[in-house]
Amino acid sequence: MEEEEGADPNLTTKTVGIDAGLQKKHQAMLDRLSNRHQARLDNSLARRSDSTISSESSSSFLSRFSHSKQSIDSQLAESRLIAQSDPSRLKSHFADVSSSISDLEKLVAESSYFLPSYEVRSSLKTISDLKQNLETLNSELTPKRKFSFKNKGTTKKEHPKEPEPAKPDTVSTSNFKIPDSPGFRNKSNETLVKKFEGTEVGEFTLSDLDSCEVRLIGCCNAVFMNRLKNCKVYLGPVTGSILIEDVEGCIFVLASHQIRIHLAKRCDFYLRVRSRPIIEDSNAVRFAPYCLDYEGIEMDLEKAGLSEETGNWENVDDFKWLRAVQSPNWCVLPENERVGKFLRAVPGLRALNNRHVCDALCYLA
Amino acid sequence: MGLLSIIRKIKRKEKEMRILMVGLDNSGKTTIVLKINGEDTSVISPTLGFNIKTISYQKYTLNIWDVGGQRTIRSYWRNYFEQTDGLVWVVDSSDLRRLDDCKMELDNLLKEERLSGASLLVLANKQDIKGALTPTEIAKVLNLEVMDKSRHWKIVGCSAYTGEGLLEGFDWLVQDVASRIYMLD
């Protein structure tokens, strides 16, 4: 710059007028820069001193951490008492606990940059344990509420449709009457038969059955199954979907448009499905084609659009095994282990009387 | 001009809307999407992953994201939250046992910041099945009225099987989203 100015004096004289203004600007800029520099220096100093404080405070962090952990622990312990005395408060209580856990988590996150990595890991472990505890307590203490709503509903007949404002936090399902859906519930060692006729088709529920034999003859729209153990379930065609959850040691003979199987263990499924059946969280389940026989089943299958074998019974999707290789959780039932025909020559309700004959047929075939 | 604003401009011009369909498994999300698109609904497998359908609806183009509802893949829902204009929550009104589950998942979903601006349409599906709860009952179970101040929402009873109620629901959703996004036109 200087050289250029020297080389062309005319230019300098011209620019003198502007120079004063420029000079000012230049000075202001310099000031600003030095200010910023100072600020930066201060900042970094502060940060350094900060970190020295915080390294000392790693012990103070630990004491804070253990303090809040204790309070959460006691809150968790308290929840059992609450469950007994005032279950309606349980939900808000759990919400409180979970928010204090997340506060704790935040504390760890904020302190993580100065904490030794061991401390970070162990506190994260503690937090995940706490979460786990909360989860188990929650599932342990709340299912009562989950399945009591139907009964509760009937006892509170006066205001079936008005949720009580006193407990806005409880799940409002408990506050009005949900009509009990048709189904078989809470039975053991029984043969349960239901024949669907005419237009009264709808949904049907099987739940909490132990060592039962269930026969649903005819068509219905939807079937829900939940918590079955060592049962044999024979179903006529279902026009909608079947949802199965938490079953063990059972045999199912099912025909439907959609079949979803969750939490099944050691079960055999004889299926006819329009779409691909799916399993989730299941293992040791085996699949074979549908083979139910009762008087009039051909017509029912036709009516439900299930008269053709689609071959989908073996196109099982395992949502816990999203890979191209065969899932270890299910297999095709070997042909020599398959039962030939179920319920042959058992026309509907007469099955009850022929029970022993039928069983013999099933297992000799 | 940033890329984002260019995309926004284009989107505005084409009047696109992004609709996210979620709900528990077996609630009928895929069936609903295929039904409003006039496709065959007799063979539908449970959704492993997601489907995208682009549908012309009135003067708008809807991009409908239909995401699988099985428990294992629910954690992936959040990958689809970005830029969602309308949210459709589908309920199996005949599945009384899992209504608690349904409420819990919906509550979790609505906490999501990225969905805070989206209009919510709750479809109380399977009204054709005898024993299904009515939309009013479902609204009570899900405690929807607490959202009155914070969100535009509506519940509509429908049957993906017969097609009843679907258009009513989507009409509302599209109008509601349009009145927010395309107010200037």
Side-chain angles (χ1 to χ4, degrees):
Chain A
M1 266 311 254
E2 274 172 325
E3 262 181 34
E4 270 180 12
E5 273 171 29
D8 193 349
N10 289 334
L11 205 80
T12 35
T13 48
K14 262 188 210 165
T15 49
V16 162
I18 316 166
D19 228 30
L22 262 182
Q23 202 82 47
K24 231 185 213 168
K25 267 191 183 171
H26 183 72
Q27 193 51 47
M29 179 56 104
L30 275 181
D31 283 353
R32 240 182 302 157
L33 277 176
S34 75
N35 274 344
R36 273 185 64 183
H37 183 64
Q38 191 54 44
R40 220 178 288 147
L41 268 180
D42 288 352
N43 240 337
S44 73
L45 260 177
R47 219 179 302 148
R48 217 171 294 155
S49 61
D50 220 28
S51 67
T52 52
I53 291 168
S54 3
S55 73
E56 283 162 15
S57 74
S58 110
S59 61
S60 87
F61 162 79
L62 281 180
S63 75
R64 261 172 84 191
F65 184 84
S66 71
H67 182 73
S68 20
K69 180 186 177 290
Q70 265 169 14
S71 88
I72 291 170
D73 275 337
S74 63
Q75 265 178 305
L76 280 173
E78 217 174 283
S79 56
R80 271 182 201 286
L81 293 176
I82 291 177
Q84 279 163 10
S85 58
D86 188 7
S88 60
R89 261 182 54 216
L90 207 54
K91 197 161 182 197
S92 63
H93 177 72
F94 279 139
D96 287 348
V97 178
S98 115
S99 84
S100 31
I101 291 180
S102 57
D103 284 348
L104 190 59
E105 206 170 15
K106 221 164 123 197
L107 174 69
V108 176
E110 276 162 4
S111 325
S112 66
Y113 77 92
F114 66 76
L115 281 180
S117 66
Y118 169 76
E119 302 295 1
V120 175
R121 250 183 296 135
S122 67
S123 19
L124 286 179
K125 174 78 171 57
T126 317
I127 287 172
S128 82
D129 285 349
L130 282 174
K131 277 185 183 163
Q132 187 68 42
N133 283 346
L134 177 64
E135 191 79 357
T136 45
L137 266 177
N138 200 353
S139 61
E140 192 183 316
L141 297 175
T142 42
K144 277 179 217 142
R145 177 202 65 195
K146 227 177 191 173
F147 297 103
S148 64
F149 64 79
K150 283 163 196 144
N151 300 335
K152 263 193 190 167
T154 49
T155 53
K156 282 181 196 154
K157 257 178 194 159
E158 308 99 51
H159 307 288
K161 297 245 158 155
E162 277 173 20
E164 288 173 32
K167 343 184 231 178
D169 275 328
T170 55
V171 171
S172 21
T173 40
S174 51
N175 290 331
F176 67 72
K177 194 176 151 195
I178 290 178
D180 231 358
S181 63
F184 296 131
R185 297 181 172 85
N186 302 307
K187 305 256 195 246
S188 53
N189 301 303
E190 279 185 53
T191 299
L192 307 160
V193 180
K194 170 84 182 173
K195 201 167 179 184
F196 299 111
E197 277 166 320
T199 51
E200 47 137 11
V201 284
E203 82 213 272
F204 201 81
T205 303
L206 306 176
S207 91
D208 301 275
L209 304 181
D210 188 1
S211 310
C212 288
E213 184 173 322
V214 182
R215 299 169 193 174
L216 305 184
I217 313 288
C219 290
C220 68
N221 282 148
V223 175
F224 299 103
M225 302 186 213
N226 182 32
R227 289 196 300 271
L228 309 186
K229 240 182 161 179
N230 305 319
C231 291
K232 292 170 197 151
V233 180
Y234 309 117
L235 253 59
V238 176
T239 54
S241 65
I242 297 178
L243 185 67
I244 300 173
E245 210 164 288
D246 199 358
V247 293
E248 192 176 348
C250 299
I251 295 177
F252 295 91
V253 183
L254 316 167
S256 179
H257 278 224
Q258 287 191 328
I259 296 179
R260 293 176 173 85
I261 299 162
H262 303 154
L263 295 160
K265 254 188 264 171
R266 294 184 294 103
C267 291
D268 288 348
F269 292 89
Y270 294 79
L271 304 182
R272 180 173 297 170
V273 215
R274 292 283 300 241
S275 57
R276 299 167 72 92
I278 71 121
I279 61 172
E280 194 177 32
D281 302 305
S282 302
N283 63 63
V285 291
R286 305 188 295 178
F287 292 86
Y290 191 63
C291 57
L292 194 68
D293 198 2
Y294 61 81
E295 206 179 287
I297 190 171
E298 297 303 332
M299 240 171 60
D300 287 344
L301 284 170
E302 187 83 40
K303 209 165 66 185
L306 285 160
S307 53
E308 277 168 53
E309 177 55 68
T310 55
N312 270 333
W313 62 269
E314 57 178 343
N315 296 329
V316 181
D317 282 329
D318 183 353
F319 275 61
K320 281 286 176 181
W321 190 263
L322 305 176
R323 293 184 223 180
V325 285
Q326 166 69 33
S327 153
N329 299 322
W330 70 275
C331 65
V332 171
L333 186 59
E335 272 187 53
N336 56 0
E337 287 182 52
R338 287 180 203 168
V339 180
K341 280 269 184 188
F342 288 99
L343 300 191
R344 185 195 288 280
V346 182
L349 289 167
R350 240 176 298 157
L352 264 179
N353 310 326
N354 292 347
R355 185 178 171 198
H356 301 290
V357 183
C358 154
D359 280 353
L361 272 171
C362 287
Y363 293 100
L364 287 175
Chain B
M1 188 184 292
L3 181 62
L4 192 64
S5 52
I6 295 176
I7 292 172
R8 286 223 176 98
K9 266 225 170 113
I10 292 171
K11 196 174 160 186
R12 206 160 293 155
K13 215 172 264 167
E14 293 177 357
K15 304 210 174 214
E16 279 193 358
M17 287 181 195
R18 181 171 156 135
I19 310 280
L20 179 65
M21 306 266 302
V22 274
L24 297 193
D25 49 317
N26 197 35
S27 53
K29 297 175 289 294
T30 310
T31 314
I32 287 174
V33 175
L34 294 189
K35 192 78 184 181
I36 55 173
N37 203 26
E39 291 178 55
D40 176 34
T41 57
S42 66
V43 183
I44 296 171
S45 293
T47 307
L48 186 55
F50 63 93
N51 307 307
I52 312 171
K53 279 265 177 262
T54 303
I55 296 177
S56 291
Y57 196 92
Q58 299 170 358
K59 50 183 178 168
Y60 303 100
T61 304
L62 309 189
N63 287 320
I64 304 188
W65 294 67
D66 158 32
V67 191
Q70 299 297 324
R71 188 179 292 275
T72 313
I73 55 177
R74 281 180 213 159
S75 52
Y76 299 107
W77 285 354
R78 68 175 100 97
N79 301 344
Y80 304 90
F81 290 164
E82 217 67 62
Q83 302 274 316
T84 294
D85 301 312
L87 187 64
V88 182
W89 180 258
V90 186
V91 182
D92 177 352
S93 315
S94 68
D95 189 353
L96 310 183
R97 184 179 67 84
R98 295 201 302 168
L99 280 175
D100 275 1
D101 266 4
C102 177
K103 176 175 167 47
M104 192 195 72
E105 293 287 357
L106 177 62
D107 287 348
N108 280 341
L109 193 73
L110 295 181
K111 274 182 216 148
E112 181 58 46
E113 211 169 300
R114 284 171 292 171
L115 294 175
S116 57
S119 312
L120 172 69
L121 169 67
V122 178
L123 287 175
N125 193 20
K126 308 205 185 179
Q127 291 294 322
D128 57 298
I129 295 185
K130 201 184 146 213
L133 293 189
T134 64
T136 330
E137 287 168 318
I138 297 281
K140 285 214 170 110
V141 174
L142 298 181
N143 207 5
L144 295 177
E145 63 256 45
V146 298
M147 289 184 299
D148 277 347
K149 292 204 179 99
S150 54
R151 188 185 291 277
H152 294 194
W153 68 274
K154 185 182 174 72
I155 184 164
V156 175
C158 72
S159 160
Y161 184 67
T162 63
E164 211 184 311
L166 294 181
L167 290 185
E168 186 197 338
F170 274 85
D171 278 348
W172 174 83
L173 185 67
V174 168
Q175 283 316 319
D176 192 76
V177 171
S179 66
R180 277 190 299 118
I181 302 186
Y182 306 119
M183 214 157 41
L184 297 177
D185 312 336

